[in-house]
């Protein structure tokens, strides 16, 4: 179940983020960079629009149904984008639909992990499942540009389409919905947002923590090349290594939450550590100290460590009949914030420099730390 949920989320990540690697081919084919970027962002926009809707379907129909239907419909939309790629409008429309379709795997795959693993092992399992995003992006980064260069955009889009189709078949064959308790007569009365701010506070914390995460993801490569005069190859290799560290950080944070019997205590620790690390990154870049390089590597690991903790906390608190929608809201807030981060930080860097821009993002995790709610009880064994 863990392998299939991770595979499903990897296929979704490749479908949503893969079109970004078509930008050079689209630009070479005659599109402006702005238009090529808009086309590449269509899948992300589609995914953002349907996360909550898919979450409601998970709550109503179960995890296996959503995994299979989400991945299969994403594969069909990507295949259509590959077929009609010579039309800019149709390409954008089908990529939007592919993103909208693939969004269902986020809630469904998370629910598979939460349902099949007991609380004392769930944090580690979710940390492994959270590796799906860098895996999917990494596979897309390797395959899509090469296929686009050798065989064209249509062939490149066939790669994530085939990935999604094969994964849909695997989920159809082997995924089993985890057991649920009897459905209450009045599900609305079980709304976890009533009479408690726990979930709302987790959502707010995650929104604040995504700001330094996407700042580092977006501008680390540029800073290494422009600010440190690194070659593109060396900078790219360091960024790839940082993604590996990020994956390790997610698993480590999840395992720590299992050990201490709490999701929110490690989440608070991560928030403080992320804030202090980003402030240190900002200061050392401003002073042009070489220690800024290992510090930004450390920041890459710490700033993503909260994702699995918050995701698990939301699913556990919301319960089997509300967690789909709650996880959809969780991801929607993060996606919308992540969309705004690159242009805003891109405005600050020319004005104040990389050091100030990076350092300022360290204030957001420090604001998030006191917002983290406390667990009402230790995890059940």
């Amino acid at each position: 179940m863990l392998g299939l949920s991770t595979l499903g989320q990897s296929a979704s990540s490749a479908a949503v983020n893969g079109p970004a690697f078509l930008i050079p081919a689209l630009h070479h084919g005659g599109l402006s960079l702005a238009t090529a970027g808009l086309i590449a962002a269509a899948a992300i926009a589609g995914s953002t629009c349907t996360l909550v809707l898919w979450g409601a379907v998970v709550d109503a129909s179960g995890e296996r149904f959503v995994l299979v239907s989400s991945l299969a419909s994403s594969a069909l939309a990507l295949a259509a984008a590959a077929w009609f790629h010579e039309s800019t409008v149709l390409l954008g429309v089908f990529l939007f639909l592919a993103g909208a379709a693939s969004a269902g795997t986020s809630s469904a795959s998370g629910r598979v992990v939460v349902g099949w693993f007991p609380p004392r092992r769930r944090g580690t399992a979710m940390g492994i499942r959270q590796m799906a995003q860098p895996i999917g992006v990494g596979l897309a980064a390797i395959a899509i540009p090469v296929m686009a260069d050798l065989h064209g955009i249509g062939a490149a889009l066939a790669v994530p389409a085939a990935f999604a189709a094969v994964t849909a078949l695997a989920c159809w064959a082997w995924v089993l919905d985890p057991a649920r308790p009897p459905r209450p007569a009045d599900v609305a009365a079980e709304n976890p947002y009533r009479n408690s701010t726990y979930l709302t506070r987790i959502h707010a914390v995650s929104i604040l923590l995504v700001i330094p995460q996407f700042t580092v993801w977006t501008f680390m490569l540029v800073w290494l090349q422009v600010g440190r005069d690194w070659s593109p190859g060396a900078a790219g290799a360091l960024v790839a290594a940082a993604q590996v560290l990020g994956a390790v950080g997610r698993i480590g944070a999840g395992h720590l939450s299992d050990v201490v019997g709490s999701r929110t205590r490690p989440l608070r620790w991560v928030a403080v550590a992320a804030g202090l690390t980003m402030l240190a990154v900002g200061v050392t870049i401003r002073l042009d100290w070489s220690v800024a390089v290992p510090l930004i590597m450390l920041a890459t690991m710490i700033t993503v460590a909260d994702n699995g903790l918050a995701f698990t906390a939301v699913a556990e608190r919301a319960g089997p009949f509300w967690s789909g929608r709650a996880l959809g809201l969780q991801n929607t807030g993060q996606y919308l914030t992540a969309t705004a981060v690159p242009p805003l930080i891109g405005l600050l860097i020319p004005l104040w420099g990389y050091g100030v821009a990076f350092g300022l993002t360290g204030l957001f995790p420090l604001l998030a730390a006191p917002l983290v709610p406390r667990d009402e009880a230790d995890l059940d064994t």
Side-chain angles (χ1 to χ4, degrees), residues 324-335:
R325 282 162 284 185
L327 291 172
L329 287 170
Q330 168 79 4
N331 282 331
T332 299
Q334 289 184 299
Y335 273 43

Side-chain angles (χ1 to χ4, degrees), residues 55 119 125 176 200 246 248 271 275 321 378:
L176 298 174
T200 304
V248 172
F321 302 109
D378 289 338

Side-chain angles (χ1 to χ4, degrees), residues 138 166 186 235 260 340 342 348:
V166 171
D186 184 7
V260 303
L348 290 180

